[in-house]
Structures are given as structure tokens and as C-alpha cells.
């Protein structure tokens, strides 16, 4: 009888769904959601931005920043996966400041939702001379008569040396890694920070804009420069190459000052090689 009872418990454990600790709430759950490691309750509470109200910055509510901006547009648009609510702030804080690196792949997977939205908005790309050239830039793209828009390159926003030493990793680079693997789009650390700007969350919009002036420069690492040059050379360098489709990756979009500063440097870099660039940004959250 004891043996039969033991086998019965084993059989029930094999047939019953295994439990998991939800990455967000930490509670045990037998029913996972579409997001690996997240329970259905937490999945339902995520404030996704599926329909941005601002077509420029991707904000989910009314946007005074884009309407009052008089300067030239540095990016085509930004799209973010979620609204930066208190719940999302807690998740990002666990990852960035409290060392819960198990959340990294989850945040990257969530960012992929923003890529899906951007891709749908850009629409299908006709198979013409321009798109053929981008096939050389990104061999992962399969030739089709009409295919979905695809980025050519991902560029993570760099962190300062002091921040990297404090945190141990660059969260934007980790996000770009996940997206690169999922979409077959290469990523390159084309930029470096020229100086430490401090935590932007404690600063006003004007202070952030001032901080970001000349905050980024082209990565002086010769290996990175060679990678970029080789990547461009694979395009064949036609007389009138199509604009490079480049996405800047970061964790949060607040005023857009960081993204604009990065975009300006990337635009100048592309021009130095004889290319124009259409630059977008994807961020995990939009404040």
C-alpha cells in the first residue's frame, strides 16, 4: 500500500502542471501567461502602449513636448512597450538597481512588442532596388515581393564608465541583445558617453536638455569602427544608397533629449561614410 501511494503521488506530480515563481509578483502560479515566467494576473496588469496618442514620441496620453518643439526632428519616431507607471518603475528598479538580472530577458521580450508595433506602422516594403541593397546590409532578411519593414542596425544608448562600474551592465545593451536575437538585426555599440550626466529622473526638462548637449560621441574603439565600416561595405555602396534604417535602444523615454543627442551623433557618423540615416528609437517604457 505504501508503494502504491508513493507511485500515485509521483504520477500526480507528473500529470499536474509545474508551479513557477512569477518574475514580477514572486507568487507561485500553475498557469503561465504568454510572457514566460509571468503569471496571468501580472500579464493582465501590464500597461501596454498598443495605440500611441502621439505619433512622434509614442506617448500614450496627450503630449505637450512634441507640439511645442520647434527644432528639427532628429528621429522619425519613438515607440515604447509600456507606460512608465509605478508598477513598471518597480520592475525596472529591481532589474537596474537591485540586481534581479532574471528580469533582463523579460524586459527584452516586452520591448519586442514595441518593435512589432513600429514594424506594422512602417508597412510592407516593396522589393525594389533600395530594399535589395538592405538585403546585403542585413542577410537575415529573406527576399519577398512585399515584406515587412525591417531595421538595419540597433544602437544601444551607452552609459558612463562610473554607471557601468556601479551597475555592472548596460541595460540598453542587454535589451538590444534580446531584440537582436529575436529579429536577426545586428547591434553595434557605436556611441560612448563623453561625461557622466547623473540621474535624469531628478532633473527638470530644461536641465535634461542642457545635460545632453555633447554628451555622446562616436565610439573610439577601432574594432567597433572596423565592424561598422565592414557592415557598410557589405551594402555594395551604390551611387544613391537608400537611407540606413537605424534604431536607438534605451530603457525609458522621458523628454527625448538622450535619444536626440544620440541620433545627432549617428547621423554625422553615417554622413562621414557617405550615407544618410533614418533613425528611430525603441524604449521599454514611456513616461
Amino acid at each position: 500500500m505504501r508503494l502504491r501511494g508513493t507511485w500515485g503521488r509521483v504520477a500526480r506530480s507528473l500529470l499536474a502542471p509545474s508551479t513557477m515563481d512569477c518574475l514580477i509578483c514572486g507568487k507561485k502560479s500553475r498557469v503561465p501567461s504568454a510572457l514566460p515566467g509571468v503569471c496571468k494576473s501580472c500579464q493582465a496588469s501590464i500597461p501596454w502602449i498598443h495605440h500611441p496618442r502621439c505619433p512622434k514620441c509614442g506617448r500614450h496620453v496627450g503630449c505637450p513636448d512634441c507640439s511645442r518643439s520647434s527644432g528639427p526632428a532628429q528621429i522619425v519616431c519613438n515607440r515604447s512597450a509600456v507606460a512608465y507607471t509605478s508598477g513598471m518603475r518597480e520592475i525596472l528598479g529591481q532589474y537596474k538597481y537591485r540586481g534581479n538580472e532574471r528580469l533582463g530577458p523579460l524586459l527584452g521580450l516586452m520591448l519586442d512588442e514595441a518593435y512589432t508595433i513600429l514594424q506594422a506602422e512602417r508597412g510592407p516594403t516593396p522589393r525594389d532596388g533600395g530594399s535589395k541593397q538592405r538585403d546585403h546590409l542585413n542577410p537575415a532578411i529573406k527576399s519577398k515581393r512585399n515584406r515587412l519593414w525591417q531595421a538595419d542596425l540597433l544602437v544601444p544608448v551607452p552609459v558612463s564608465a562610473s554607471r557601468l562600474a556601479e551597475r555592472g551592465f548596460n541595460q540598453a545593451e542587454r535589451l538590444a541583445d534580446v531584440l537582436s536575437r529575436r529579429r536577426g538585426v545586428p547591434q553595434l555599440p557605436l556611441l560612448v558617453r563623453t561625461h557622466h550626466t547623473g540621474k535624469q529622473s531628478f532633473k527638470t526638462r530644461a536641465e535634461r536638455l542642457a545635460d545632453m548637449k555633447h554628451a555622446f560621441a562616436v565610439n573610439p574603439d577601432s574594432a567597433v569602427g572596423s565592424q561598422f565600416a565592414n557592415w557598410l561595405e557589405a551594402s555594395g555602396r551604390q551611387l544613391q544608397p537608400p537611407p540606413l534604417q537605424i534604431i536607438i535602444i534605451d530603457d525609458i523615454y522621458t523628454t527625448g533629449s538622450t535619444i536626440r543627442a544620440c541620433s545627432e551623433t549617428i547621423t554625422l557618423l553615417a554622413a562621414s561614410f557617405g550615407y544618410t540615416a533614418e533613425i528611430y528609437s525603441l524604449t521599454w517604457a514611456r513616461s
Side-chain angles (χ1 to χ4, degrees):
M1 290 297 294
R2 181 178 299 175
L3 184 61
R4 184 182 301 174
T6 300
W7 278 108
R9 286 193 296 274
V10 171
R12 284 194 297 272
S13 68
L14 291 173
L15 294 173
S18 60
T19 60
M20 65 170 192
D21 292 331
C22 176
L23 290 172
I24 295 178
C25 68
K27 296 178 180 177
K28 290 191 178 296
S29 173
R30 289 183 181 274
V31 185
S33 69
L35 285 174
V38 177
C39 70
K40 282 195 171 182
S41 176
C42 287
Q43 160 88 24
S45 68
I46 294 174
W48 298 105
I49 305 179
H50 288 137
H51 304 288
R53 283 189 62 181
C54 179
K56 188 69 178 178
C57 72
R59 204 170 194 172
H60 53 293
V61 293
C63 178
D65 295 338
C66 292
S67 61
R68 69 186 177 188
S69 177
S70 57
Q74 296 292 342
I75 64 170
V76 177
C77 66
N78 171 75
R79 289 296 175 263
S80 303
V82 300
Y84 196 47
T85 61
S86 58
M88 297 299 100
R89 184 182 298 111
E90 173 62 22
I91 292 173
L92 189 62
Q94 287 184 29
Y95 178 54
K96 286 173 65 173
Y97 308 121
R98 294 194 285 280
N100 189 354
E101 296 194 27
R102 293 176 62 209
L103 289 169
L106 172 63
L107 301 186
L109 188 61
M110 293 169 72
L111 181 69
D112 188 67
E113 288 292 311
Y115 187 95
T116 298
I117 292 171
L118 177 60
Q119 194 175 49
E121 290 178 351
R122 301 309 296 169
T125 303
R127 190 169 178 262
D128 54 18
S131 64
K132 283 181 181 178
Q133 187 182 19
R134 280 198 288 272
D135 283 344
H136 291 288
L137 285 171
N138 187 354
I141 303 174
K142 295 181 180 179
S143 296
K144 296 180 181 179
R145 183 173 298 277
N146 286 297
R147 54 145 191 258
L148 287 175
W149 176 90
Q150 180 85 327
D152 293 321
L153 185 68
L154 308 176
V155 179
V157 172
V159 297
S160 65
S162 60
R163 185 72 72 221
L164 186 61
E166 172 190 319
R167 195 172 297 154
F169 64 94
N170 176 1
Q171 70 279 359
E173 198 169 86
R174 295 278 182 89
L175 290 170
D177 278 339
V178 176
L179 195 60
S180 177
R181 289 194 299 270
R182 288 184 63 82
R183 297 292 178 167
V185 179
Q187 73 137 320
L188 277 176
L190 292 182
L191 305 176
V192 294
R193 281 197 185 248
T194 58
H195 58 272
H196 180 65
T197 54
K199 290 188 177 180
Q200 299 297 295
S201 57
F202 300 117
K203 298 177 182 178
T204 66
R205 183 175 186 274
E207 288 171 336
R208 293 180 189 189
L209 292 173
D211 260 3
M212 286 302 125
K213 286 185 178 180
H214 313 298
F216 301 98
V218 174
N219 193 333
D221 188 332
S222 59
V224 174
S226 296
Q227 282 181 287
F228 186 61
N230 293 337
W231 177 76
L232 286 173
E233 189 178 354
S235 69
R237 295 202 54 128
Q238 298 175 4
L239 293 177
Q240 291 185 327
L244 303 172
Q245 306 293 294
I246 297 177
I247 298 181
I248 298 170
I249 304 294
D250 205 4
D251 54 352
I252 306 173
Y253 185 111
T254 304
T255 63
S257 56
T258 298
I259 298 296
R260 285 191 292 272
C262 289
S263 176
E264 183 177 356
T265 303
I266 294 171
T267 298
L268 293 174
L269 174 63
S272 71
F273 283 89
Y275 279 79
T276 58
E278 289 182 356
I279 300 178
Y280 306 77
S281 65
L282 289 180
T283 63
W284 177 73
R286 177 65 171 95
S287 65

